[in-house]
Amino acid sequence: MTIFKEKVDEEYLTLAETKDILEDLEMERAADEDREMRYELKRAIEHVNRFTLLEPEESREFVEKLRELEKVDEPTAYKIANLRPLDRDELRAVFAQERYSLSGDELDEVLDVVRQYA
């Protein structure tokens, strides 16, 4: 027997936005002494605390600037904002699953935006 779960909603988030959500959840769990934080939640909180450098407003602005570029769609913009690739090779890895490849100038254009927020 197979149990299927229906996807109700999907939303892309930057690490900074995720950190805000997890901080609220952590405070809520800390207030309730009977509720223990699961291992996965603890690890997720550690991850966002370690890798988040921007504020949520800055990260949204970063994604919007990336979205203004011709070859960057929404999921890719969020990947780039979360990974902040520093060179062409790292950026090519982000675009590896796409059906198109970017030219050197297009890669540099994306990297220029990344450098503004690095």
Side-chain angles (χ1 to χ4, degrees), residues 49-87:
N49 286 336
R50 183 176 188 184
F51 293 106
T52 301
L53 298 177
L54 300 174
E55 293 298 318
E57 299 81 28
E58 289 177 306
S59 66
R60 278 187 227 106
E61 181 182 305
F62 185 13
V63 169
E64 289 305 314
K65 283 193 177 184
L66 289 168
R67 294 266 307 159
E68 291 172 3
L69 302 175
E70 183 180 340
K71 297 262 184 159
V72 181
D73 59 1
E74 183 180 20
T76 307
Y78 279 91
K79 282 182 200 174
I80 293 169
N82 288 332
L83 296 172
R84 292 183 320 275
L86 299 176
D87 59 36

Side-chain angles (χ1 to χ4, degrees), residues 4-78:
F4 295 99
K5 292 187 178 184
E6 179 183 347
K7 186 187 293 187
V8 177
D9 193 17
E10 183 175 275
E11 179 181 354
Y12 295 104
L13 296 171
T14 62
L15 284 175
E17 294 168 324
T18 305
K19 182 179 179 180
D20 271 358
I21 293 169
L22 289 178
E23 281 177 348
D24 293 342
L25 187 59
E26 185 179 24
M27 295 298 247
E28 180 183 308
R29 295 278 172 99
D32 186 2
E33 294 176 13
D34 296 333
R35 260 182 112 172
E36 192 175 310
M37 277 201 302
R38 296 182 61 185
Y39 172 78
E40 294 86 354
L41 179 58
K42 287 180 187 177
R43 295 292 295 159
I45 291 169
E46 286 175 24
H47 180 83
V48 296
N49 286 336
R50 183 176 188 184
F51 293 106
T52 301
L53 298 177
L54 300 174
E55 293 298 318
E57 299 81 28
E58 289 177 306
S59 66
R60 278 187 227 106
E61 181 182 305
F62 185 13
V63 169
E64 289 305 314
K65 283 193 177 184
L66 289 168
R67 294 266 307 159
E68 291 172 3
L69 302 175
E70 183 180 340
K71 297 262 184 159
V72 181
D73 59 1
E74 183 180 20
T76 307
Y78 279 91

